[in-house]
Amino acid sequence: MSAPTPTPTDRKFLGRLSLPERRYLTDALRTETVGGVLLLLAAVAALIWANTPAAESYKSVQNFHIGPAALGLDLSIQHWAADGLLAIFFFVAGIELKRELVAGELRDPKAAALPVIAAICGMAAPALVYALVNVLGNGSMDGWAVPTATDIAFALAVLAVIGTSLPSALRAFLLTLAVVDDLFAILIIAVFFTSDLNFAALGGAVAGLVLFWVLLRRNVRGWYVYVPLALVIWTLMYNSGVHATIAGVAMGLMLRCTTREGEKHSPGEHIEHLVRPLSAGLAVPLFALFSAGVSVSGGAIGDVFTQPVTLGVVLGLVVGKALGIFGGTWLAARFTKAELNPDLTWPDVFAVASLAGIGFTVSLLIGELAFAGDAALTDEVKAAVLIGSLIAAVLASVLLKLRVRKYQTLIADEERDDDHDGIPDIYEQDNPAYHLRMAEIYERKAAEHREHARAAGASRDEADRPA
């Protein structure tokens, strides 16, 4: 049974999602939440491992090289995690972006304008904060992109740990921010962190991508076709000088994310459903395990707040992200005259903006790329990312906890299904059949209560009768 189309009031900013979009969001974020908890555990494990007497073994594993040198792939374990495993993460990000553009919240330019503006401001403000701190402190401008990213999995893990959730509209807003963040992070990596180009390898990678696209358009099926081809494309892209994760994004964007007649799910959604657990549950946690292990001694933590590079990263994540997203959202709503959902308030938007300051996975990756020639500074930047993300998580947790009862009420309303037809009641208010079913349910309940009333009255009369 299909739900009725949304009413015009549903187009308000942070208004109710369509039922298919809500179901997709719930399924996707469930996987991301589990992956986020694993990511959190992997980060903690890395910190413990790197700050114990076994720290040398951590460095040894990080720097252990493996892979065929003839193909230019004799890489360290840490390198494999950043260039290989994260290609899976960016492949899923590519599918997610494609789906949002053709079937999700970004398909309507008018509806997409506000979250896109918010995301752009949420990337520009941290970069400006970083630049300001480093101009005043005579620091390096190389790390300007480090605090610009949002880690949706880590943010959801924080929500799971503090025992709260968000109404679907706020979750969709957070996911849209993260998707646009990923898009611009991809562009930043491609444009600013491309080394000397090997045009032969790049041409081969492009030819492989064209073949990948042709096979998709001809509806060729079989993982045994696409997985080997994907590995070849990734290898060529890595050797071209362009960051290898770009190959994953490009292939993800090529998948069809619209359904055709007779299809329950599009090929892109189907593949995303298969690959997302691998990305969230294995690839990203392993990247965290081999990238997040930095020294967090008292002296190292103190250095984070005294050096312009690391201070710029912390302030960019904590201050820049929150003010950028909130300010961009408010200004866009102000000038487009978009009405905020009456069930939510601007402090809710600020809380989500603070939560977006958790910039773990992509921030660590950009930090490694930005300071690749300085191992000590790379570790300090990683520590700054961890500390900044932790501060943002604590701040967001406090703000969200202040509204947790309101969120619980909204979520209960979203999930109520009194007629037990599998569709939340909130989506059926304009459906006559729903109201007829509810009338039958209430009539049955009324009949039961009348019977109970007669039985209770007869019992009382019997008790009042003289012996």
Side-chain angles (χ1 to χ4, degrees):
M1 182 180 298
S2 62
T5 56
T7 61
T9 56
D10 295 330
R11 303 312 303 167
K12 291 182 178 180
F13 173 50
L14 298 180
R16 191 168 74 234
L17 303 178
S18 67
L19 184 58
E21 188 68 14
R22 183 179 182 276
R23 285 174 171 168
Y24 167 80
L25 179 76
T26 300
D27 182 60
L29 295 188
R30 184 183 299 113
T31 303
E32 290 288 357
T33 300
V34 174
V37 173
L38 294 175
L39 173 63
L40 184 59
L41 293 174
V44 171
L47 289 171
I48 293 173
W49 191 359
N51 288 276
T52 61
E56 285 301 318
S57 67
Y58 180 78
K59 290 293 184 183
S60 298
V61 173
Q62 265 188 325
N63 298 320
F64 181 77
H65 279 243
I66 188 172
L71 298 177
L73 297 177
D74 182 20
L75 310 177
S76 67
I77 296 295
Q78 184 180 10
H79 206 162
W80 274 112
D83 287 79
L85 292 177
L86 281 194
I88 301 173
F89 166 80
F90 278 106
F91 174 69
V92 174
I95 300 175
E96 203 170 55
L97 175 61
K98 178 69 172 290
R99 187 197 169 279
E100 287 293 313
L101 289 170
V102 301
E105 290 294 293
L106 301 180
R107 71 187 183 279
D108 179 3
K110 290 183 179 179
L114 200 148
V116 169
I117 291 171
I120 292 173
C121 292
M123 298 190 77
L128 290 174
V129 168
Y130 177 92
L132 179 62
V133 171
N134 281 272
V135 167
L136 295 177
N138 294 320
S140 170
M141 294 297 293
D142 292 344
W144 65 270
V146 175
T148 60
T150 293
D151 194 314
I152 183 72
F154 216 131
L156 294 171
V158 169
L159 293 176
V161 168
I162 65 176
T164 189
S165 186
L166 295 175
S168 59
L170 285 175
R171 286 181 288 161
F173 181 58
L174 182 61
L175 178 62
T176 304
L177 290 173
V179 168
V180 178
D181 260 7
D182 287 342
L183 169 62
F184 282 96
I186 292 161
L187 294 176
I188 288 171
I189 291 170
V191 174
F192 295 99
F193 298 105
T194 294
S195 56
D196 296 335
L197 290 177
N198 180 330
F199 288 100
L202 182 59
V206 172
L209 288 170
V210 171
L211 177 59
F212 190 89
W213 182 83
V214 170
L215 292 174
L216 288 173
R217 291 301 172 271
R218 293 184 176 274
N219 293 319
V220 175
R221 299 178 181 272
W223 64 268
Y224 45 84
V225 174
Y226 291 102
V227 171
L229 178 58
L231 292 174
V232 171
I233 293 170
W234 178 87
T235 301
L236 289 168
M237 189 69 76
Y238 175 81
N239 283 287
S240 73
V242 177
H243 199 268
T245 54
I246 303 301
V249 175
M251 288 184 279
L253 286 170
M254 289 181 183
L255 294 176
R256 177 168 60 84
C257 293
T258 53
T259 55
R260 293 174 179 171
E261 187 176 352
E263 290 182 339
K264 187 176 181 181
H265 300 289
S266 68
E269 287 178 300
H270 175 68
I271 293 173
E272 182 188 14
H273 184 73
L274 295 175
V275 179
R276 186 186 287 276
L278 177 63
S279 169
L282 182 66
V284 175
L286 282 178
F287 168 76
L289 180 63
F290 294 114
S291 293
V294 296
S295 174
V296 288
S297 64
I301 294 175
D303 290 342
V304 166
F305 294 98
T306 56
Q307 298 183 20
V309 170
T310 50
L311 181 60
V313 170
V314 172
L315 293 179
L317 288 171
V318 178
V319 179
K321 268 292 180 183
L323 294 182
I325 292 173
F326 180 80
T329 304
W330 188 86
L331 288 173
R334 176 73 176 81
F335 288 105
T336 60
K337 297 183 179 179
E339 293 183 44
L340 182 65
N341 181 347
D343 292 328
L344 299 169
T345 63
W346 285 108
D348 296 316
V349 178
F350 186 78
V352 172
S354 300
L355 190 64
I358 301 174
F360 189 76
T361 305
V362 178
S363 291
L364 289 177
L365 174 62
I366 294 177
E368 290 180 0
L369 296 174
F371 301 103
D374 190 335
L377 186 55
T378 298
D379 282 349
E380 291 170 358
V381 168
K382 288 182 179 180
V385 170
L386 294 173
I387 292 171
S389 297
L390 178 61
I391 295 172
V394 172
L395 174 62
S397 298
V398 172
L399 295 175
L400 292 171
K401 275 295 186 182
L402 295 175
R403 294 276 288 169
V404 68
R405 291 186 178 178
K406 179 64 175 178
Y407 295 156
Q408 289 170 346
T409 301
L410 292 175
I411 293 169
D413 290 340
E414 289 180 1
E415 297 177 350
R416 183 174 293 112
D417 183 17
D418 289 338
D419 61 341
H420 306 293
D421 67 341
I423 298 175
D425 296 341
I426 198 170
Y427 289 95
E428 299 192 280
Q429 297 305 307
D430 296 329
N431 185 354
Y434 159 75
H435 293 289
L436 291 174
R437 288 194 301 273
M438 291 304 300
E440 292 177 2
I441 291 171
Y442 288 133
E443 285 168 3
R444 287 198 300 270
K445 289 183 177 180
E448 291 174 3
H449 283 292
R450 282 193 291 269
E451 184 61 33
H452 289 319
R454 282 195 294 269
S459 176
R460 189 175 59 183
D461 290 344
E462 183 67 26
D464 291 342
R465 187 179 302 161

